[in-house]
Amino acid sequence: MPDLIPPAFADLVRDRPADELLQSLPGRAGQPRAVDGAIWLRQLPAQVERLLHDWRLEVDGPSRHGECALVVPVRRHTGAAAALKVTWPHAEARHEHLALRAWDAQGAVRLLAAEPASSALLLERLDPEQCLRDQPLLEACEVIGTLIRALDRPALPRIDTIETKAQRWAEQLSHGTPLVPRRLIEQAASTLPDLLTGTSASLVHEDLHDLNVLAPLPGAIDRGDWLAIDPKPIAAEQAYAVAPVIWNRAEEAARASNLRTHARLRADVVAEAAGLEEDRVRAWTFVRLVLNAVWAAPHAPASDDFRARMIALAKAFTD
């Protein structure tokens, strides 16, 4: 069983402390327990083996992984292809199953089974070789906008709200950091309260970008060419969802002759395809970029390149 856990994934997770936010949440049935990466990795082989047994699955190829989750291709007892996903417990992922159920395979991967206390999902298998990251940039932006529109649902009562998160963000911005220009922090702090008023809450995929969009397997029932995966659900307005499109595909931004024009064009293409107000998309994108830079500052110098990129992109959204 240990060979199902790629060494690169183990290296990513091993030194992580238990997620502080998950630790701080009130305990409730079905919620995963916060645990550090080393302990979780030691438990993972037995956990995967149990899930394979309980869900009557057979391993069907080499495992894949992202930053936080192991994905094992499997076959169900019916012979149907599926994917077993087991995630390192952290607060942002604890409601993934709720979002996938609400979307009901419309614009997103289909949920087949879930064990929330174990951060485990059984999903339909998509084509890992067909990722939106490989498509031309502006075409990918249009796809993301179309998916934002397809995933638009009323907010669910149990998921985190943008207002709750914004309370933490406001405190973090008020403390500031000398590694991020003060004017950007002050502008983000003053913009945030205005963004929290006058909109209804939707179910939002907080991390919707090219790498989190895959194609169905060949021959699958037609639900469109692209489906979203790995949601970090939040109750917010859909304009909040656009920012990851801006900070991903960094190498293409680096080649741009005018970063301001390049970054804003990405945002505007997504906004048009999704039917969103450009001004609110740009404002939310600016705030999220500044927050990224602030969060990266304590990890300097390892995070210097990322922080500098977030600052440069944030400046592209200032007037």
Side-chain angles (χ1 to χ4, degrees):
M1 189 61 61
D3 60 338
L4 285 180
I5 303 171
F9 179 63
D11 291 343
L12 276 174
V13 175
R14 184 177 294 109
D15 295 330
R16 290 180 185 172
D19 184 66
E20 291 184 3
L21 182 54
L22 186 58
Q23 285 180 312
S24 70
L25 296 172
R28 60 189 306 173
Q31 180 169 293
R33 182 174 63 88
V35 62
D36 69 49
I39 292 175
W40 183 73
L41 282 171
R42 288 198 296 269
Q43 299 170 343
L44 185 57
Q47 183 180 14
V48 172
E49 186 172 7
R50 179 186 61 77
L51 290 164
L52 292 171
H53 176 270
D54 290 352
W55 284 340
R56 302 169 64 186
L57 307 172
E58 292 187 1
V59 176
D60 190 40
S63 302
R64 293 176 177 265
H65 67 88
E67 291 292 320
C68 296
L70 176 73
V71 180
V72 183
V74 294
R75 291 276 174 184
R76 306 183 75 185
H77 66 281
T78 60
L84 173 62
K85 178 181 180 182
V86 187
T87 301
W88 172 69
H90 59 288
E92 287 184 335
R94 74 190 191 283
H95 293 147
E96 180 175 352
H97 64 293
L98 299 179
L100 292 176
R101 283 200 183 106
W103 288 323
D104 194 24
Q106 301 302 306
V109 63
R110 187 185 302 277
L111 176 67
L112 303 174
E115 191 176 278
S118 302
S119 298
L121 305 176
L122 184 63
L123 306 166
E124 71 170 313
R125 196 188 308 177
L126 302 181
D127 188 347
E129 304 300 331
Q130 296 292 322
C131 174
L132 190 60
R133 175 66 175 78
D134 300 323
Q135 301 302 306
L137 178 61
L138 294 185
E139 291 182 21
C141 289
E142 289 184 10
V143 170
I144 295 290
T146 301
L147 287 175
I148 288 174
R149 190 189 291 266
L151 298 174
D152 194 7
R153 302 282 191 286
L156 303 175
R158 282 178 53 188
I159 66 172
D160 297 329
T161 66
I162 194 72
E163 289 80 9
T164 299
K165 287 195 170 189
Q167 292 175 8
R168 297 194 300 270
W169 299 340
E171 182 177 355
Q172 291 161 346
L173 290 170
S174 70
H175 292 156
T177 170
L179 297 180
V180 179
R182 178 181 297 178
R183 67 178 181 87
L184 295 181
I185 294 176
E186 291 177 347
Q187 184 176 339
S190 64
T191 300
L192 186 56
D194 292 338
L195 288 172
L196 297 175
T197 61
T199 61
S200 57
S202 297
L203 176 60
V204 173
H205 188 319
E206 190 177 43
D207 194 29
L208 186 59
H209 57 82
D210 301 39
L211 290 174
N212 280 341
V213 179
L214 299 178
L217 287 176
I221 296 174
D222 184 22
R223 303 204 319 274
D225 294 332
W226 300 102
L227 297 170
I229 64 169
D230 197 24
K232 303 290 188 290
I234 185 171
E237 63 171 308
Q238 293 295 350
Y240 172 80
V242 178
V245 178
I246 310 307
W247 68 63
N248 278 277
R249 297 179 75 152
E251 68 285 351
E252 293 178 57
R255 291 197 299 266
S257 59
N258 186 311
L259 182 60
R260 177 185 176 89
T261 300
H262 174 91
R264 289 189 171 215
L265 179 59
R266 288 198 202 189
D268 291 351
V269 170
V270 177
E272 182 175 0
L276 302 174
E277 295 182 28
E278 289 183 359
D279 288 347
R280 294 193 70 85
V281 166
R282 291 179 178 183
W284 268 122
T285 299
F286 168 76
V287 169
R288 293 188 69 181
L289 289 165
V290 174
L291 285 167
N292 276 357
V294 170
W295 296 333
H299 306 289
S303 64
D304 284 356
D305 288 346
F306 176 81
R307 176 171 45 83
R309 184 161 60 87
M310 294 302 103
I311 290 171
L313 286 168
K315 289 178 178 178
F317 287 90
T318 58
D319 293 325

